[in-house]
Amino acid sequence: MSSLSERDAAMAWTRICEGEDVRAYQLIEERGYAGALEWLRAPKKRSDWGEYAQVAERWAGRISDDAFQRDRRTMQGLGGFLIPSDPNWPQSLEDLGERRPLGLWYRGDVTALASPSIAIVGTRDASQYGSRVATDFAFELAKMGVVIVSGGAFGIDAAAHRGALQAQGRTIAVLAGGIDRPYPLRNENLFSAMLNGGGLLLSEVPPGASPHRHRFLARNRIIAGITRATVVAEAPYRSGAINTARHALEIGHEVGAIPGPLTSVRSAGCHRLLRENATCITTAAEAAELLGYTSIANGVQGALDVVYRRGPTNNPLSLRVQDALPVTHAATLQKIAATAGLSAQETMRGLGNLEMEGIAESVGGKWRLAKRSA
C-alpha cells in the first residue's frame, strides 16, 4: 500500500491500538502518524523495534490495509474524522496529555464542539428522581446555549440527551463503539433525533468496532476532556459516572454533583464526590456557573431570568485567557497558559487586564475567575 497521509494514517492508528495507549501516543509524537505507521511496517525482526518491542508486536498484528480502506469507504457520506491539527478539534482534550485520543470519528454537525458544553452523566439504573433532574437540568442549560454531552446509554445519559432535545438544543454522545453502529440499539431513535437536531456522535474507535467493556471506561476520559465541566446527576458509589468525574478532576476540569436522598444507593456516588471536592449543584444556574456563567435570579422560586458570560472584555488576548480560567479550583500560570495556547508572558498580561476588570483573581499565587454576586 502506498504511503498514507497524516489523516489516513491517524485513522489506521485508531484500529491498530486501543484508547489510552500511552506508548502509541509517544511514538506518534516522535514520528507523526504516517512516520510511525511506516516504522511499524518496516522491521524484519522483533529486535528492530527497540524500546517499543513489546507493544509493537501487538500493534503489528492489527495492521490490515483492507480494514483501513474499508473504514474510509464506510465514512464516505456518513461522517468524518478529526485529528489535533483540525480547527474543530476540541483543544481541551490536550489536557488529557498522553491519554488523549489519537483521533475522533464523528457523525453530525462537528461545529457543536465549538460551543460551551457540560457533561451530564450518571447511572444506567436511574430513579425517577435522577431522570427528572437530568432532564430538567439539560433542558435549562440547553436553553442557555450550552451543549449537553453524555454517553448515549440508558438512564441518566438518555435523560440528559432528551432534555437538551426538548429545549431544541444540541447534544453530543461519546460512544464506546463505532459510530456506524450506535449502542445501545434501543436508543437508535434518540441518536437519530440528536443528529437531526444538529448534534454529534463521537468515537475514538473505528467504524464497526464493538462496544467492549474496556472501551466504555476509556471513552469516559473523552467525555470529561471535551467539556470544561462534568455534572454527576445520580450515581452509585462505584460507577462509570464516578470514573468520568475522576478523569475531569485529574485534568483540572470542573466537577459538580447533584445530591440525592441520603437513603438512596443511587446517589451514594454523588455524595462521595461532594466529600471529595466536587461542587454541590442544585439548579441549572449553578451548573452553568461551572462554565463561568453568572446568573441573575428574578426572585420567584429561584427561577433564572438572565444568564450571561462573565465579563465583558473586548481584548482578544484577555478573552483567550478568560476562557482558560477555572471557576473554583485556581490554576497555575503555566496551566492557564497551556490551556489558552499562549506564552507565560502573554498569559500574565491577559491576567493583569482581567484582574483590573474584576474578572480574574489571584489565590495563593494561582488564578481563577473572580467570584461575583448575582
Side-chain angles (χ1 to χ4, degrees):
M1 189 176 189
S2 60
S3 297
L4 296 175
S5 68
E6 281 292 283
R7 185 176 305 279
D8 286 348
M11 293 180 188
W13 274 105
T14 66
R15 180 168 290 281
I16 290 170
C17 63
E18 293 291 327
E20 296 188 280
D21 192 327
V22 171
R23 296 297 274 161
Y25 174 93
Q26 292 170 342
L27 179 65
I28 290 165
E29 283 290 289
E30 292 174 13
R31 298 171 177 265
Y33 291 105
L37 185 57
E38 290 175 6
W39 170 88
L40 183 62
R41 291 177 183 273
K44 302 301 181 184
K45 55 184 182 297
R46 190 175 188 272
S47 60
D48 292 342
W49 282 320
E51 62 177 312
Y52 291 97
Q54 187 174 1
V55 288
E57 187 171 14
R58 182 176 71 238
W59 297 334
R62 284 187 165 186
I63 293 178
S64 170
D65 291 340
D66 288 342
F68 301 158
Q69 292 173 354
R70 186 170 61 249
D71 290 344
R72 293 196 292 277
R73 288 197 302 269
T74 299
M75 293 308 297
Q76 290 178 359
L78 181 64
F81 184 77
L82 290 174
I83 56 177
S85 59
D86 290 327
N88 290 311
W89 180 265
Q91 290 304 309
S92 58
L93 281 176
E94 301 307 310
D95 293 343
L96 291 170
E98 294 181 332
R99 293 182 299 157
R100 74 150 169 78
L102 301 180
L104 288 172
W105 301 85
Y106 70 87
R107 288 176 63 186
D109 188 349
V110 73
T111 63
L113 291 168
S115 298
S117 62
I118 282 182
I120 299 180
V121 296
T123 178
R124 290 174 173 80
D125 182 29
S127 68
Q128 184 176 2
Y129 163 80
S131 295
R132 176 63 183 271
V133 297
T135 300
D136 289 352
F137 278 44
F139 180 92
E140 294 295 336
L141 288 163
K143 282 290 189 183
M144 301 172 197
V146 176
V147 173
I148 303 301
V149 178
S150 200
F154 296 132
I156 296 300
D157 288 12
H161 292 308
R162 291 193 181 101
L165 292 173
Q166 289 169 14
Q168 297 184 321
R170 298 206 284 182
T171 181
I172 297 171
V174 183
L175 306 178
I179 60 169
D180 58 332
R181 48 181 299 182
Y183 179 89
L185 293 177
R186 279 190 288 163
N187 278 351
E188 183 178 4
N189 290 338
L190 174 61
F191 294 131
S192 295
M194 292 168 61
L195 293 174
N196 292 335
L200 192 63
L201 303 182
L202 285 177
S203 180
E204 68 175 329
V205 298
S210 299
H212 296 308
R213 183 176 178 179
H214 69 275
R215 289 174 176 163
F216 282 99
L217 291 173
R219 70 88 189 266
N220 289 342
R221 79 193 194 285
I222 301 176
I223 294 175
I226 64 173
T227 61
R228 289 294 180 189
T230 295
V231 173
V232 182
E234 186 180 51
Y237 196 79
R238 291 183 177 86
S239 68
I242 301 302
N243 177 254
T244 303
R246 292 203 177 283
H247 280 302
L249 287 169
E250 286 172 3
I251 61 177
H253 291 194
E254 300 292 332
V255 173
I258 301 173
L262 297 179
T263 55
S264 173
V265 295
R266 293 186 179 95
S267 288
C270 294
H271 301 153
R272 175 186 182 181
L273 289 172
L274 291 174
R275 288 170 58 89
E276 297 175 356
N277 233 8
T279 301
C280 182
I281 301 297
T282 61
T283 66
E286 289 175 355
E289 289 174 2
L290 295 176
L291 292 178
Y293 283 72
T294 302
S295 62
I296 299 178
N298 64 12
V300 181
Q301 297 179 346
L304 191 66
D305 184 37
V306 179
V307 176
Y308 59 91
R309 193 69 174 166
R310 285 187 193 265
T313 180
N314 297 316
N315 184 300
L317 177 68
S318 298
L319 281 171
R320 286 183 64 176
V321 175
Q322 179 182 344
D323 286 341
L325 282 171
V327 178
T328 55
H329 306 298
T332 64
L333 172 66
Q334 291 74 19
K335 174 68 174 177
I336 295 167
T339 301
L342 298 169
S343 68
Q345 185 177 10
E346 290 170 324
T347 303
M348 196 65 236
R349 190 161 65 249
L351 286 169
N353 293 337
L354 294 172
E355 186 177 32
M356 286 190 293
E357 294 181 45
I359 298 172
E361 63 181 0
S362 178
V363 181
K366 298 181 180 180
W367 294 84
R368 68 183 181 191
L369 284 169
K371 295 184 180 298
R372 290 196 173 189
S373 58

